[in-house]
Amino acid sequence: MPGTESGNVHVVDEPLSRHKMAVLRDERTHQREFRQAMREMALILVGEATRRMPTRTASINTPLTETKAQEIAGPVCLVPVLRAGLGMLDGALALLPEATVGFVGLFRDEQTAQPVEYYVNLPGNLEGYFVIVLDPMLATGGSLSATLTKLKEYGADWISCLHAVSAGPGVDRVTAEHPGVHFYTAALDPELDENAFIVPGLGDAGDRLYGTL
Ligand code: PRP
């Protein structure tokens, strides 16, 4: 796989993902282009995350003859973390159009940086699903850790998380608290500032996607 790997952390670092990161990070990138680049980043990250999915043999007929083919060996559930995760959903569904979609609504309290849950709508039982969490940013890891705890309550046991940019401290936290989960990120930034924003990061993904700057 392109990029670097450390345990369950996969840094998807190759020319195309670097180019999209440059667009996402640039403060001159306006809402429309930012949304487009985030969608394209989701395509790249889904392509990487699906490499870990087992496939099974299916018998099919081509126009010429019967043959064997490989298909993903189970249902997929995409889980965008509202709001910013919605910016990756369309791209993910372009590659996995049969996927179920569940939603987790969390925002980070600006004073405390703690996650506040306001909406959950997931399939009743996630056992047997390949669950893919979508969120452009992993900062302190508080939102993602709460999301993963919720998904496990619903029975999820195969989970991958996709992020455009992650901060080292947040990655350390979620890998310690959720050791069986895999994380795919196009960039791994070293630090958080005093407001728990990723530095250099890309700003606030939700605000840039939806024009609420
Ligand atoms: C952002 C981001 C993550 C979270 C990361 O969402 O999309 O969900 O913050 O921060 P953490 O790792 O420190 O928890 P935000 O709270 O800004 O909400 P929004 O998506 O509605 O804009």
Side-chain angles (χ1 to χ4, degrees):
M1 189 179 103
T4 55
E5 300 216 23
S6 171
N8 292 346
V9 179
H10 312 266
V11 181
V12 182
D13 179 21
E14 36 79 26
L16 191 56
S17 62
R18 286 181 203 152
H19 187 77
K20 299 302 172 193
M21 270 314 299
V23 175
L24 291 169
R25 286 193 194 277
D26 194 330
E27 65 176 1
R28 297 170 300 180
T29 302
H30 291 297
Q31 190 182 353
R32 176 183 175 145
E33 289 74 27
F34 188 88
R35 259 206 313 268
Q36 182 176 342
M38 191 61 78
R39 178 186 188 277
E40 292 161 348
M41 182 62 86
L43 292 170
I44 295 167
L45 295 172
V46 166
E48 294 300 327
T50 50
R51 288 170 184 257
R52 196 169 69 85
M53 287 181 181
T55 57
R56 65 186 169 213
T57 303
S59 289
I60 59 162
N61 293 301
T62 75
L64 298 177
T65 185
E66 186 187 346
T67 190
K68 306 286 185 207
Q70 295 293 311
E71 58 185 20
I72 292 172
V76 176
C77 184
L78 302 170
V79 181
V81 179
L82 307 179
R83 218 174 19 148
L86 287 177
M88 300 172 74
L89 179 61
D90 183 53
L93 278 171
L95 291 178
L96 296 165
E98 305 92 355
T100 298
V101 182
F103 296 89
V104 173
L106 289 171
F107 66 86
R108 202 173 68 163
D109 184 294
E110 290 190 0
Q111 307 305 320
T112 65
Q114 294 303 307
V116 180
E117 179 185 305
Y118 60 88
Y119 184 69
V120 173
N121 191 331
L122 294 166
N125 184 1
L126 283 170
E127 195 179 341
Y129 276 89
F130 301 123
V131 178
I132 299 179
V133 178
L134 308 171
D135 194 334
M137 299 196 303
L138 197 182
T140 66
S143 305
L144 185 61
S145 193
T147 299
L148 292 171
T149 299
K150 179 68 64 181
L151 292 171
K152 290 174 181 175
E153 285 170 16
Y154 277 72
D157 52 11
W158 189 107
I159 308 174
S160 286
C161 304
L162 311 189
H163 312 283
V165 60
S166 303
V171 170
D172 291 344
R173 173 175 175 178
V174 294
T175 51
E177 294 180 1
H178 299 280
V181 175
H182 284 245
F183 304 88
Y184 296 79
T185 188
L188 187 52
D189 284 6
E191 57 186 357
L192 299 167
D193 71 8
E194 63 279 9
N195 298 314
F197 265 86
I198 305 171
V199 181
L202 47 74
D204 185 311
D207 286 344
R208 295 189 68 184
L209 285 164
Y210 302 116
T212 49
L213 292 166

